[in-house]
């Protein structure tokens, strides 16, 4: 009798069962803040993240369901971090959602759990079809979350844009997968890389499918020139939902990128690395220059995301040089470290917006932050740390993230890659302007708003810990760097 390898999917099974049970329990909850639903959701996500963390710590790789899913250190750590990011998002977002009647049916929590389940399935997928199913579960949940404020025209417009452009990107991805299936005869990632490595398939056919796959991945990552949806959806979606899209989801997108391009199509690295290089350059230019002109803080963070994804792509494109993959571990672990630290910083940045937002006031404009240093020293301190980290200033964790990617580029020794490293540094210096402008507004502009009402204790505690981690991981980055390096080494070496 075939063993299904249920253990490989323990976190996903737990999330699925818990989401269904919590949806039923929520039917009897009438309180505005949905406290019971909220607590049960945090417990379920915490348990799933703990299981993923324990499996990651075992450093073993297991396959299940006829090799359709895999449990390996990289995937398990990304699932663990995604779960923690979703928990932090819900802590920040619950007061905001309750003030705007977004918790009247508990959809924020149940849809959030289904979105996280989609991320977990994407991360565990060892088969094109499984990865695509996980992606669709995540995106369909995200569309519904963006449109959660049905009476808000801006949110509805953002949901429509997200749905139309997201459907187009899913079509690109599915078409690329079908092309590769037609060429290789398999949907299994392990079989695909064997078929591609054999050299018996026409290169043009593979590259044709690869172009569609990279386009679909770039959309999910929010990289230019497939970034059109990012500013509008970030600005139009309720801020709690924006954080779901801009936080944990990025970790799942990174996992999907690693599964498809690195584990499945590494023999075509020369082709997809060129595409990533072009997208990285465009992302750095578009993200940094467009952010300078923004007056809306959420829109500024959207363009910031586009530029930060450019750095992640630079790390991923420096793994294979001239057919030599000896520097792959260093390059891919630097990209993973960059993505994890970026999500950590994004959580705190949006956490401050959510903390400042009150009923009838979104606190989205940069001018709303004027005098924040006097009105809320904690929020101003956390946001300053995040802005300096995103700008790449030492000793914050963003500095080491950028440094690790630049080192991966420079160690290749190729003039083109060294030139790209210099170009990235110049664009980072330009981008530092709009990050530092936020700090200037908070501490040097006269306050226009009265003293803030106190946020809930759980929000203040989590925000303080979140901000402190951005600083502490900058002072002591080696443990997280080693974790990422070990995860990549053991996953690709298995």
């Amino acid at each position: 009798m075939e063993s299904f390898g249920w253990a490989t999917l323990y976190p996903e099974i737990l999330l699925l069962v818990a989401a269904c049970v919590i949806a039923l329990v929520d039917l009897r909850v009438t309180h505005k803040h949905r406290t019971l639903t909220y607590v049960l959701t945090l417990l379920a996500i915490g348990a799933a993240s703990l299981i993923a963390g324990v499996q990651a710590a075992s450093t073993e790789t297991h396959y299940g369901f006829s090799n359709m899913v895999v449990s390996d250190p990289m995937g398990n750590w990304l699932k663990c971090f995604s779960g923690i990011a979703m928990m932090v998002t819900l802590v920040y977002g619950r007061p905001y959602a309750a003030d705007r009647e977004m918790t009247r049916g508990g959809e924020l929590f149940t849809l959030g759990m289904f979105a996280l389940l989609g991320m977990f399935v994407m991360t565990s997928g060892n088969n094109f079809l499984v990865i695509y199913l996980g992606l669709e579960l995540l995106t369909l949940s995200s569309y519904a979350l963006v449109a959660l404020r049905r009476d808000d025209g801006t949110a509805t417009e953002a949901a429509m844009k997200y749905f139309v452009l997201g459907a187009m990107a899913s079509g690109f991805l599915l078409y690329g997968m079908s092309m590769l299936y037609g060429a290789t005869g398999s949907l299994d990632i392990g079989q695909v890389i064997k078929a591609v490595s054999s050299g018996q398939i026409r290169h043009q056919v593979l590259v044709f499918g690869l172009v569609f796959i990279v386009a679909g991945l770039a959309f999910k990552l929010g990289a230019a020139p497939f970034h059109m949806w990012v500013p509008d959806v970030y600005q139009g979606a309720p801020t709690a939902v924006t954080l779901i899209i801009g936080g944990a989801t990025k970790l799942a997108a990174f996992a999907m990128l690693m599964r498809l391009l690195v584990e499945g199509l590494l023999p075509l690295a020369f082709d997809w690395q060129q595409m990533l290089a072009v997208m990285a350059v465009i992302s750095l230019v578009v993200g940094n220059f467009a952010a300078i002109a923004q007056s809306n803080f959420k829109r500024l963070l959207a363009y910031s995301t586009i530029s930060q994804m450019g750095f992640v792509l630079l790390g991923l494109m420096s793994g294979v040089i001239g057919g030599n993959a000896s520097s792959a571990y260093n390059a891919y672990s630097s990209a993973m470290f960059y993505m994890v630290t970026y999500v950590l910083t994004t959580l705190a940045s949006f956490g401050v917006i959510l903390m400042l937002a009150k009923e009838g006031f979104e606190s989205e404009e940069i001018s709303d932050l004027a005098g924040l240093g006097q009105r809320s020293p904690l929020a101003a301190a956390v946001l300053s740390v995040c802005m300096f980290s995103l700008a790449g200033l030492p000793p914050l964790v963003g500095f080491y993230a950028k440094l690790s990617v630049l080192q991966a580029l420079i160690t290749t020794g190729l003039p083109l890659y060294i030139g790209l490293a210099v170009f990235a540094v110049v664009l980072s210096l330009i981008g530092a302007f709009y990050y530092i402008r936020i700090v200037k507004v908070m501490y040097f502009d006269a306050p226009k708003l009265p003293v803030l009402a106190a946020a809930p204790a759980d929000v203040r505690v989590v925000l303080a810990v979140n901000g402190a981690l951005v600083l502490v991981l900058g002072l002591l980055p080696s443990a997280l760097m080693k974790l990422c390096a070990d995860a990549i080494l053991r996953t690709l070496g298995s």
Side-chain angles (χ1 to χ4, degrees), residues 90-159:
L90 294 178
V91 171
Y92 290 155
R94 186 175 71 126
Y96 174 94
D99 287 344
R100 289 153 185 79
E101 298 187 353
M102 289 168 57
T103 55
R104 55 182 177 271
E107 295 96 339
L108 178 69
F109 304 110
T110 48
L111 285 174
M113 290 188 72
F114 279 116
L116 185 64
L117 177 60
M119 296 177 212
F120 277 28
V121 173
M122 284 167 62
T123 308
S124 299
N126 192 46
N127 181 288
F128 286 170
L129 195 57
V130 174
I131 293 174
Y132 186 74
L133 288 175
L135 176 65
E136 284 304 289
L137 179 56
L138 166 62
T139 50
L140 290 173
S141 302
S142 301
Y143 300 151
L145 282 167
V146 173
L148 206 52
R149 294 185 70 184
R150 292 186 290 271
D151 54 346
D152 187 292
T154 308
T156 307
E157 181 186 343

Side-chain angles (χ1 to χ4, degrees), residues 186-254:
S186 177
L187 292 169
D188 186 277
I189 286 177
Q191 295 300 319
V192 167
I193 195 169
K194 284 181 184 175
V196 173
S197 303
S198 68
Q200 297 178 349
I201 304 172
R202 286 187 63 185
H203 188 71
Q204 291 87 343
V205 176
L206 294 173
V207 172
F208 194 62
L210 182 64
V211 168
F212 284 96
I213 285 186
V214 171
L217 290 173
F219 179 90
K220 298 303 175 188
L221 208 59
F226 303 96
H227 66 286
M228 298 77 73
W229 64 278
V230 179
D232 290 341
V233 174
Y234 268 49
Q235 183 180 2
T239 307
V241 176
T242 305
L243 185 49
I244 293 175
I245 296 170
T249 306
K250 297 297 183 194
L251 296 170
F254 176 80

Side-chain angles (χ1 to χ4, degrees), residues 28-39:
R28 302 185 64 84
V29 177
T30 56
H31 191 267
K32 176 184 175 184
H33 285 81
R34 257 23 202 207
T35 304
L36 179 60
T37 311
Y38 167 70
V39 171

